[in-house]
Amino acid sequence: MDAVRVALLREVLAGTEWLGATRRFAGALRGSVVPHGGGLLLVGTAGYEPWHLAAHLVDEAAWSGTPELAPTLVRHGARPSDPAHLAVGLGRLAAARRGETLLVVAPDDPGAPLLERVHDARRAGATVLALGSGERELTTMAHETLTVPEGAELDLDTVQHLVSAAAGENAVPPPRGPRRFRDRLSRLADHLTAPPPSRW
């Protein structure tokens, strides 16, 4: 979903709880990683890897000039032979420490092994954020949660788009109405329509 579609979606959702909820969650994410210079770990469940959220956060990090938003994708089935950015396994959660942020995306049951690792990361001082179905044990461990219940108006993928877009917005000074997003959209349009740089 590109920036224009996110803007249209936000117009449709005006007056609902989703805009405020996704912006609050994105603010917690940004507020956790930026002061510490990064350290964002992103993990899903054994049955769901948040590839798209990882890609969108990387894009938002580049577009917003906030490299701290670029996550390390932690994978359940990572193998040493995978490319470096895909080879980070669950063992990385055991090394999580104070100043790092662990974002767990869990549309289904996270399972006991993942919950144990999340608990250990929290005990070591990492900030835990949970996005998903609202599984009780995970939400109890999380410092901040955003629940997308079964049958909600929006699905988890759409909510992830809203969160990543909001995380990339400049949070200081506070936004004054819709102008700041329009400014950002205008800058993005200028960037996308600019001629390619000369190679000579």
Side-chain angles (χ1 to χ4, degrees):
M1 187 178 293
D2 58 29
V4 173
R5 289 182 183 161
V6 169
L8 292 173
L9 178 60
R10 284 175 167 170
E11 284 185 28
V12 170
L13 294 172
T16 70
E17 66 182 30
W18 288 108
L19 288 185
T22 53
R23 282 192 166 125
R24 275 191 300 277
F25 189 80
L29 172 61
R30 186 179 176 114
S32 180
V33 298
V34 171
H36 294 103
L40 176 58
L41 304 173
L42 175 62
V43 67
T45 63
Y48 180 86
E49 287 190 334
W51 298 92
H52 284 103
L53 181 56
H56 285 297
L57 285 171
V58 167
D59 289 344
E60 290 296 336
W63 292 337
S64 67
T66 313
E68 298 88 353
L69 289 174
T72 297
L73 181 61
V74 178
R75 302 179 59 221
H76 289 256
R79 298 169 303 201
S81 60
D82 290 334
H85 68 289
L86 300 176
V88 179
L90 289 178
R92 175 61 180 86
L93 300 184
R97 295 291 176 256
R98 183 172 306 281
E100 292 186 304
T101 301
L102 174 57
L103 173 54
V104 184
V105 182
D108 51 22
D109 181 5
L114 178 58
L115 288 171
E116 287 172 17
R117 291 173 187 265
V118 171
H119 182 265
D120 291 344
R122 179 177 168 126
R123 272 197 334 195
T127 300
V128 176
L129 286 79
L131 173 59
S133 63
E135 193 275 336
R136 186 182 58 81
E137 196 169 348
L138 178 59
T139 58
T140 299
M141 277 189 269
H143 295 90
E144 187 76 31
T145 63
L146 179 56
T147 300
V148 185
E150 187 81 24
E153 302 91 343
L154 299 181
D155 62 17
L156 183 62
D157 286 341
T158 303
V159 170
Q160 289 178 74
H161 285 293
L162 291 170
V163 167
S164 61
E169 290 177 343
N170 192 354
V172 178
R176 293 183 180 98
R179 186 173 177 193
R180 294 195 62 79
F181 181 72
R182 281 197 203 118
D183 291 345
R184 183 170 165 255
L185 188 58
S186 175
R187 285 195 310 272
L188 176 61
D190 290 344
H191 174 73
L192 294 175
T193 58
S198 170
R199 296 189 177 193
W200 302 104

